[in-house]
Amino acid sequence: MASSSRYDTNKLCCSSHPDAPLIEDYRAGDQICSECGLVVGDRVIDVGSEWRTFSNEKSGDDPSRVGGPENPLLNGCDLSTMIGPGRGDASFDEFGISKLYTGRTMSSYDRSLINAFKEINSMADRINLPKTIVDRANNLFKQVHDGRSLKGRSNDAIASACLYIACRQEGVPRTFKEICAVSKISKKEIGRCFKLILKALQTSVDLITTEDFMSRFCSNLGLPNMVQRAATHIARKAVEIDIVPGRSPISVAAAAIYMASQASEDKRSQKEIGDIAGVADVTIRQSYKLMYPHAARLFPEDFKFATPIEQLPLW
């Protein structure tokens, strides 16, 4: 027998274990307490999609009898009518035009949101971003779209900027060049929209540091953990003693990786690092020249040198 209890007016929970997470049994439609097994709620409606669809399917038949999953970002939670393509002669008029066109069943407001959400999802897939970032970017886009504060800007540019902001706010920042590489918009236009969105939504993002990119850059370069720790220490120390004024965190991180790798057995060239970090060789070289005279102070004390500091390249 199902027994339901509410700890507060909004949250369904077990009366004996109000903080315990609930397990949803999709087959039976029950919500069960993970601590004692009490059936807290029954006949739960599954709001997910009935069928999974795959992009490589060649058949145009859609087996779904219901719509897609709920999307609270759309008006009416996406409870709109989608008319499928006609099959018989009765579906077309004497000019061969479909009598029922699905585009008329959706408002232009929802259509622009759906197109932007698809673009955000597509960009996130190409750089392997998790769903939490996609959801935050979608929310940011809806806020901007509802506020109508960026009139005249393309939706693709706003979507790219929202994805960049979402990455920064979730603590996994990406560079403008990385977003630009998977977008149709120029870096300059994404940067403009980025500033306008922050001003329109009255929000902010944390300043990026060298440590935000270090683990990802070193991993993509195939460098061992010892080199990554050394590069992190070098970059942090260089910023602390203020020997790289005016340099971007990305260029400082790239120069620190170059210095640490050259002192180890796993050497990487400036071009290899630049291709991963998205900065030019000359940019890495300029930051490295500022750091080289202080190399003895920058390396951690326990670092095992394969190449002594005196034999490190001058640039």
Side-chain angles (χ1 to χ4, degrees):
M1 180 178 177
S3 173
S4 62
S5 173
R6 292 186 181 273
Y7 184 65
D8 56 42
T9 57
N10 298 318
K11 182 181 176 184
L12 188 68
C13 58
C14 176
S15 57
S16 302
H17 308 93
D19 295 326
L22 299 180
I23 300 171
E24 189 166 342
D25 183 352
Y26 293 100
R27 190 166 186 174
D30 296 336
Q31 283 186 314
I32 305 166
C33 176
S34 59
E35 292 288 338
C36 63
L38 176 70
V39 178
V40 178
D42 59 357
R43 298 190 180 184
V44 177
I45 298 174
D46 183 7
V47 297
S49 180
E50 182 185 23
W51 293 88
R52 289 191 300 167
T53 55
F54 302 92
S55 59
N56 58 353
E57 285 184 351
K58 296 181 180 178
S59 174
D61 296 335
D62 185 3
S64 299
R65 296 173 297 170
V66 297
E70 280 188 340
N71 190 344
L73 298 178
L74 300 176
N75 283 340
C77 289
D78 204 20
L79 298 178
S80 57
T81 303
M82 301 294 291
I83 302 173
R87 301 291 181 186
D89 294 338
S91 300
F92 303 91
D93 60 18
E94 63 270 20
F95 302 106
I97 300 174
S98 177
K99 293 180 180 178
L100 298 175
Y101 177 52
T102 187
R104 296 173 188 163
T105 66
M106 185 183 299
S107 67
S108 59
Y109 172 86
D110 282 352
R111 196 180 303 118
S112 61
L113 284 181
I114 288 175
N115 291 336
F117 295 163
K118 285 181 180 177
E119 180 66 19
I120 290 172
N121 196 62
S122 175
M123 290 188 291
D125 279 344
R126 277 177 265 172
I127 51 178
N128 301 317
L129 294 176
K131 190 175 183 301
T132 53
I133 293 178
V134 175
D135 291 342
R136 182 180 282 269
N138 288 345
N139 272 294
L140 287 170
F141 183 90
K142 180 173 171 59
Q143 291 177 45
V144 174
H145 192 266
D146 290 347
R148 303 182 183 275
S149 51
L150 268 72
K151 286 184 178 181
R153 303 287 176 181
S154 72
N155 283 346
D156 287 343
I158 297 172
S160 301
C162 287
L163 187 62
Y164 176 79
I165 295 172
C167 291
R168 292 272 297 265
Q169 291 181 340
E170 289 291 328
V172 284
R174 295 296 186 267
T175 64
F176 276 120
K177 286 188 177 180
E178 288 177 295
I179 300 296
C180 186
V182 296
S183 174
K184 311 167 189 173
I185 310 301
S186 67
K187 176 184 171 184
K188 189 174 183 180
E189 183 63 20
I190 295 174
R192 285 174 179 166
C193 287
F194 163 70
K195 292 179 181 178
L196 291 172
I197 291 171
L198 292 183
K199 184 178 180 181
L201 300 182
Q202 296 183 348
T203 185
S204 61
V205 291
D206 294 334
L207 294 174
I208 57 175
T209 65
T210 56
E211 297 178 23
D212 292 330
F213 306 99
M214 197 65 75
S215 61
R216 184 157 51 88
F217 289 169
C218 290
S219 176
N220 292 338
L221 288 165
L223 293 172
N225 194 34
M226 178 193 70
V227 176
Q228 179 184 327
R229 288 200 310 269
T232 303
H233 187 277
I234 290 170
R236 188 190 304 123
K237 197 74 175 175
V239 173
E240 285 178 1
I241 62 179
D242 198 22
I243 60 175
V244 282
R247 297 291 169 182
S248 71
I250 300 171
S251 62
V252 174
I257 293 171
Y258 177 67
M259 179 177 284
S261 68
Q262 290 299 314
S264 69
E265 296 177 350
D266 302 274
K267 294 177 171 51
R268 298 292 185 272
S269 66
Q270 291 178 1
K271 187 178 186 313
E272 289 177 300
I273 298 171
D275 290 341
I276 295 296
V279 294
D281 301 0
V282 65
T283 305
I284 299 176
R285 197 175 303 122
Q286 288 170 350
S287 296
Y288 178 77
K289 284 182 178 180
L290 295 174
M291 296 162 63
Y292 177 77
H294 309 274
R297 301 167 58 191
L298 299 178
F299 277 92
E301 296 179 359
D302 58 347
F303 183 77
K304 296 179 181 178
F305 288 90
T307 302
I309 292 179
E310 296 77 18
Q311 297 179 18
L312 289 177
L314 295 177
W315 57 79

